[in-house]
Amino acid sequence: MTSRLRLLVVSPHPVQHEGPAMRALAARDDITLTVAYCSLPDPRLYRGAEYLTRGAFDDAPERGFRSVALRNRSPRPSLGRFWGLWNPEVGALIASREFDVCLVYGYAYATCWHAFAAARRSGVALIMSTDATSWSPVSEVSAIKLALKKRLVPWIYRRADVIVVPGSAGERFIHSLGVAPNRVAITPYVVDNDTIAATAARADIVALRAHWNVPSGARVVLYVGKFLARKRAIDVLRALAVMRTPDVCAVLVGTGPEESSLRLEAAALGVENRVRFVGLVAYDRLPEAYAAADVVVVPSSNEPWGLPVNEAMVCGRPVVASDRVGSAADLVRDGVTGVVYPCGDTTRLAAALDGIIGDPQRAATMGRAARTRMDDWSPMANADAVAAAAHRAVAIRADAGRTR
C-alpha cells in the first residue's frame, strides 16, 4: 500500500482558482495536506501594474483543506519585492518533523529561500514550483538582477528534489538549465472547470451582448486581461482593422495604463465603432463573457501561462493565442481547439480570426473540441500530478540519503 505523505505547501497568498485542486489533493488517501499562506489577502500586497485587476477577484482563504496563516513580518508587504514576504516561522514549521515533503511556490521572496534552506537542513524532501518558460522577465528588471538570477536560480533548481511546472513549455526550459528529466514534473495549471462551465451554461448571451451594445447578428472577438504593453491588446485592434469577415466587434475586458493608447489606436484605425471597452468583470461573472464571445484572443508577448486560455476553452470557445503564451503549447491544438500564430503578426492573427468566425460551423466544432480538451486538464489531474511529484521527491531524497 502506498504510504501517506505529509505535504506542506508554502504559498504566497490565497489564489481564487487554486481551491478545487487543493481540495482534490486533500481528499486523496495518500496525502495529508497543509497549506501555509505567507499572507492573507492584503491590499498592500498588490502594488504595481501587474496587480491592477485584483479588484475582480475574491481571494478569501479556501475551505476544504487544512491551512495556516504565517505572519508576514516584512515592513513593506508587497508581491513585487524580494523582502515583500518575510515569514521566518516557516523555518521552524519545516523543521518540526511534521512533514515529509515541502512544495514551495516560486523563488521570488525571502520566505521561499528560507524554506529551501530549512528543507535541506531538516532532510525534508523539497519540491519547487515555477511557471517560467524563459529568462525573459515579465516586468522590467535591471541587468544586474537578471544576471544574478541566471546564476542563482539554476543552482537552487539543481538542489531541489523535484521541480514542478504548469506545462510543457516550462518543462523544456527547466531541462535546458541542466535539471535531470526525472526531477521535472508537469502539474497542470488549472481553473475551477466545473464552476466555470456551469456559469457559462447559465449565461444570457443575448442580454449581455445588448449590454455591451453589440449589434444583433454581429460576431464577437473577446480579449480578457490587463491593458499592459506585454499583453498586446493593441494587436486585436490592428487585426480587426484588416479582417475580411463583416460585422465583427472586439470586446476588451480589463483595465490598465494602456487604455488611452488603445482608444487612440482604435480611432486611428477607424474601428472605434466596433470596439467595446467594458472594464473589469468580476471573476465569478467572467464565464458569461466567454460564453457571449465567438472566439477568444490571447496575444501576449510574454505570458508564462495565460489562464484565459483555460477559461475560454472550458466555456467551449476556440482560442487564438500567440506563440509566446505558455498554455498554448499544451491546450491550443492548431486547427482543432484554436490557432497559434507568431506573436505580433497581426496579418496572421486576422487570418486566424477570419478562419474561425467566418465559418460558424467550424467555430462550433472547434469550441466543442476545446471543451473536451479540458476534461483531462482539471483540478483532479493537478492533484494527481502533485501527489505523484511528492512521492517521487521523497524517493529521490531517500536515495540521496542512502548514497551519502
Side-chain angles (χ1 to χ4, degrees):
M1 181 176 176
T2 304
S3 60
R4 192 178 183 93
L5 294 184
R6 300 167 299 171
L7 170 63
L8 173 67
V9 175
V10 179
S11 175
H13 63 111
V15 177
Q16 185 153 347
H17 61 264
E18 75 180 3
M22 289 294 187
R23 287 192 289 273
L25 185 60
R28 293 180 61 93
D29 292 336
D30 58 339
I31 295 290
T32 299
L33 175 67
T34 301
V35 181
Y37 289 117
C38 299
S39 180
L40 295 182
D42 181 345
R44 294 176 299 170
L45 293 177
Y46 311 124
R47 297 169 178 167
E50 289 294 334
Y51 306 104
L52 53 83
T53 59
R54 296 306 305 178
F57 295 88
D58 177 19
D59 287 339
E62 290 282 356
R63 297 184 178 182
F65 54 89
R66 182 189 177 212
S67 65
V68 296
L70 305 178
R71 182 180 175 184
N72 184 16
R73 297 179 182 274
S74 172
R76 293 174 57 198
S78 171
L79 295 179
R81 300 176 54 250
F82 180 77
W83 290 102
L85 293 179
W86 173 232
N87 310 83
E89 67 185 289
V90 75
L93 185 63
I94 293 171
S96 67
R97 300 189 181 279
E98 292 182 22
F99 305 101
D100 304 299
V101 56
C102 177
L103 165 56
V104 182
Y105 284 168
Y107 56 78
Y109 307 108
T111 294
C112 299
W113 290 81
H114 186 37
F116 303 158
R120 287 284 72 97
R121 287 195 305 268
S122 305
V124 172
L126 174 62
I127 305 174
M128 290 181 59
S129 171
T130 179
D131 64 358
T133 58
S134 72
W135 285 120
S136 180
V138 170
S139 55
E140 187 174 346
V141 299
S142 68
I144 293 175
K145 184 175 180 180
L146 183 58
L148 183 63
K149 180 178 175 180
K150 288 182 177 181
R151 290 181 65 88
L152 287 179
V153 171
W155 179 84
I156 192 66
Y157 279 167
R158 289 192 287 269
R159 281 154 182 79
D161 296 299
V162 171
I163 307 293
V164 294
V165 294
S168 57
E171 183 181 43
R172 287 191 295 271
F173 177 61
I174 300 304
H175 286 166
S176 76
L177 303 182
V179 179
N182 71 315
R183 291 175 180 255
V184 184
I186 293 177
T187 52
Y189 202 172
V190 298
V191 295
D192 187 348
N193 290 9
D194 292 343
T195 299
I196 289 174
T199 302
R202 294 192 301 267
D204 187 336
I205 294 173
V206 173
L208 184 54
R209 287 189 172 202
H211 177 69
W212 289 340
N213 195 28
V214 172
S216 177
R219 297 168 174 85
V220 172
V221 173
L222 181 70
Y223 167 90
V224 175
K226 309 175 190 75
F227 297 155
L228 301 177
R230 75 175 179 88
K231 297 285 188 174
R232 298 192 69 92
I234 198 166
D235 287 355
V236 179
L237 306 181
R238 291 170 178 170
L240 181 67
V242 297
M243 286 179 64
R244 299 188 308 272
T245 308
D247 302 323
V248 176
C249 284
V251 175
L252 277 60
V253 174
T255 188
E258 297 288 313
E259 183 168 344
S260 295
S261 298
L262 291 170
R263 290 181 180 274
L264 289 173
E265 183 72 8
L269 293 168
V271 297
E272 68 270 35
N273 293 331
R274 295 193 287 141
V275 179
R276 307 290 184 265
F277 291 88
V278 300
L280 283 179
V281 173
Y283 187 75
D284 60 358
R285 302 296 299 273
L286 197 55
E288 299 172 4
Y290 290 117
D294 293 287
V295 63
V296 177
V297 182
V298 186
S300 304
S301 61
N302 188 336
E303 196 71 71
W305 183 250
L307 283 176
V309 175
N310 299 58
E311 294 157 357
M313 291 176 60
V314 167
C315 295
R317 295 298 177 263
V319 173
V320 177
S322 90
D323 57 2
R324 303 288 183 82
V325 176
S327 54
D330 296 281
L331 303 182
V332 184
R333 185 179 172 191
D334 215 26
V336 178
T337 63
V339 175
V340 179
Y341 73 97
C343 183
D345 189 336
T346 54
T347 300
R348 294 276 292 275
L349 172 56
L353 294 172
D354 278 324
I356 294 174
I357 62 176
D359 184 345
Q361 184 174 355
R362 182 174 186 242
T365 299
M366 293 177 79
R368 288 191 294 270
R371 180 66 190 91
T372 299
R373 172 66 185 90
M374 301 308 294
D375 288 346
D376 63 358
W377 201 272
S378 64
M380 186 61 70
N382 175 276
D384 290 345
V386 171
H391 285 284
R392 187 190 305 181
V394 169
I396 289 173
R397 176 71 359 220
D399 287 345
R402 285 191 290 269
T403 301
R404 286 197 301 270

